[in-house]
Amino acid sequence: MNNNLVTNIRQLLQYGAQQLAACSSTARLDSEVLLTHILQVDRTFLIVHAEQSVDAEQIERFTQLVQRRLLGEPIAYLLGRKEFWSLDLTVNANVLIPRPETEHLVETVLALPLPEHCQVLELGTGSGAIAIALATERPHWSITAVDISGAALEVAQLNGKRHHIDNITWLQSDWYRDLIPRQFNLIVSNPPYIATDELHLVQQSLIFEPQQLALMAGTDGMRAFTTIIQQAAHWLPPGGYLCLEHGYRQAESVTQCMAANHFHSINTVKDLANHPRITYGCYNQLKVGTD
Ligand SMILES: C[S@@+](CC[C@H](N)C(=O)[O-])C[C@H]1O[C@@H](n2cnc3c(N)ncnc32)[C@H](O)[C@@H]1O
């Protein structure tokens, strides 16, 4: 870009929109969002102050973001933030960007018949999105949020602090391995669920997300589900719930695995695109050992 030709907000926005048209159908909006981030203003400001001048450093930083976006990096990583459940969450390349589908998992959990002082375990918390959404909705609940990635937990803890959450205990653990034995009323998880040979089918933007830990789950995509479901019996009392987000083609496998591990009243909830996305069931210890 010839910096001499770009001196104000209007021109910089126009430059961004022209560049981003190569990769986005919402190029003008993307350009505005990136510039609001650089200038730390809202979109109205950009319109009202379109003729305000921009300095060389602002132009340089904006240009760098545009270039990264052109390479496919998700907007959330460029901004370092993502909204989830009306909460502004910090994200970086160590955590999966929370998805709108996952808000259905939160909704589903909130609709379950759980005690007022519910003890919750979230497995694979990433940015902390699910645990923090539940903690803000249910301040009387006591939540333990686990991730195997220390770098992800740092982000989750930061998000917890930013939202003044005091009812979550954060723990680095390989699923249940480092938990002190105890019982929970609910286990909730959005674990990795993409099959190794399906990686080529997923969006290109996923190459920027933490694939091995956050996304990939063995040859059939069921590895994490199998571990979580099979071991849940040690952590749930009879009547405790397990609630899982899964891929849109995995409802049957997840249901079968839950049924084979003494869960009953198993239900699947669809997302806004009408895809089966969440499956939950109630644990019944009475069936253990009777099969
Ligand atoms: C699909 S991401 C979900 C992140 C977040 N809960 C969300 O919904 O946005 C899966 C998370 O599980 C974590 N994870 C993967 N394997 C794990 C394991 N063995 N034990 C604990 N966490 C694990 C990853 O680090 C990642 O943060």
Side-chain angles (χ1 to χ4, degrees):
M1 176 177 46
N2 184 342
N3 286 6
N4 297 329
L5 297 179
V6 172
T7 60
N8 64 28
I9 286 177
R10 181 177 50 76
Q11 292 161 334
L12 197 53
L13 277 179
Q14 194 178 0
Y15 160 77
Q18 279 167 356
Q19 295 287 307
L20 293 169
C23 73
S24 170
S25 57
T26 55
R28 171 76 192 187
L29 176 63
D30 292 359
S31 180
E32 287 178 3
V33 168
L34 294 181
L35 195 53
T36 58
H37 175 67
I38 298 289
L39 302 182
Q40 293 293 295
V41 296
D42 61 20
R43 284 176 60 211
T44 309
F45 183 99
L46 298 181
I47 297 159
V48 174
H49 300 277
E51 302 306 317
Q52 180 173 303
S53 53
V54 281
D55 65 30
E57 194 227 333
Q58 289 166 334
I59 296 173
E60 176 62 22
R61 286 174 55 217
F62 179 75
T63 309
Q64 280 174 8
L65 287 190
V66 168
Q67 293 310 315
R68 285 168 63 189
R69 183 70 194 122
L70 281 172
L71 291 172
E73 193 165 342
I75 292 269
Y77 285 156
L78 298 180
L79 306 185
R81 48 187 289 264
K82 175 74 183 174
E83 189 173 300
F84 179 84
W85 200 260
S86 301
L87 297 161
D88 183 40
L89 297 181
T90 295
V91 294
N92 64 27
N94 295 313
V95 297
L96 189 90
I97 299 165
R99 304 294 203 264
E101 302 93 276
T102 304
E103 294 187 339
H104 291 298
L105 184 62
V106 174
E107 272 166 8
T108 304
V109 164
L110 292 176
L112 291 174
L114 292 162
E116 192 187 344
H117 293 274
C118 187
Q119 304 287 316
V120 180
L121 172 63
E122 194 216 342
L123 294 172
T125 194
S127 65
I130 297 167
I132 293 170
L134 293 176
T136 54
E137 294 293 330
R138 297 286 186 269
H140 294 309
W141 286 8
S142 177
I143 302 172
T144 301
V146 159
D147 206 288
I148 196 170
S149 158
L153 274 180
E154 274 178 30
V155 176
Q157 278 175 293
L158 173 71
N159 281 323
K161 279 202 190 97
R162 283 185 57 210
H163 292 283
H164 311 288
I165 302 295
D166 61 6
N167 54 336
I168 302 179
T169 302
W170 307 100
L171 179 73
Q172 186 168 8
S173 174
D174 180 355
W175 302 134
Y176 306 93
R177 199 180 63 190
D178 294 319
L179 283 166
I180 294 166
R182 54 175 288 200
Q183 302 265 276
F184 296 94
N185 305 103
L186 166 78
I187 298 172
V188 58
S189 185
N190 171 23
Y193 55 67
I194 297 177
T196 321
D197 64 359
E198 277 186 340
L199 186 59
H200 65 284
L201 298 176
V202 299
Q203 303 154 323
Q204 202 246 345
S205 63
L206 286 185
I207 64 170
F208 289 91
E209 305 200 57
Q211 293 181 19
Q212 282 311 322
L213 280 182
L215 295 167
M216 307 310 294
T219 47
D220 60 357
M222 284 295 292
R223 189 171 58 201
F225 291 122
T226 307
T227 305
I228 290 171
I229 295 169
Q230 283 180 348
Q231 295 182 23
H234 300 294
W235 305 92
L236 290 173
Y241 280 89
L242 175 61
C243 190
L244 299 169
E245 178 174 335
H246 48 72
Y248 70 99
R249 291 187 300 191
Q250 292 172 317
E252 207 179 314
S253 307
V254 170
T255 298
Q256 279 171 7
C257 188
M258 285 175 78
N261 285 278
H262 316 294
F263 284 87
H264 64 89
S265 308
I266 301 169
N267 281 296
T268 294
V269 178
K270 292 184 173 169
D271 63 18
L272 281 182
N274 216 26
H275 291 137
R277 182 65 63 186
I278 317 287
T279 295
Y280 64 89
C282 186
Y283 178 62
N284 180 359
Q285 198 181 31
L286 296 177
K287 289 187 181 172
V288 172
T290 59
D291 288 349

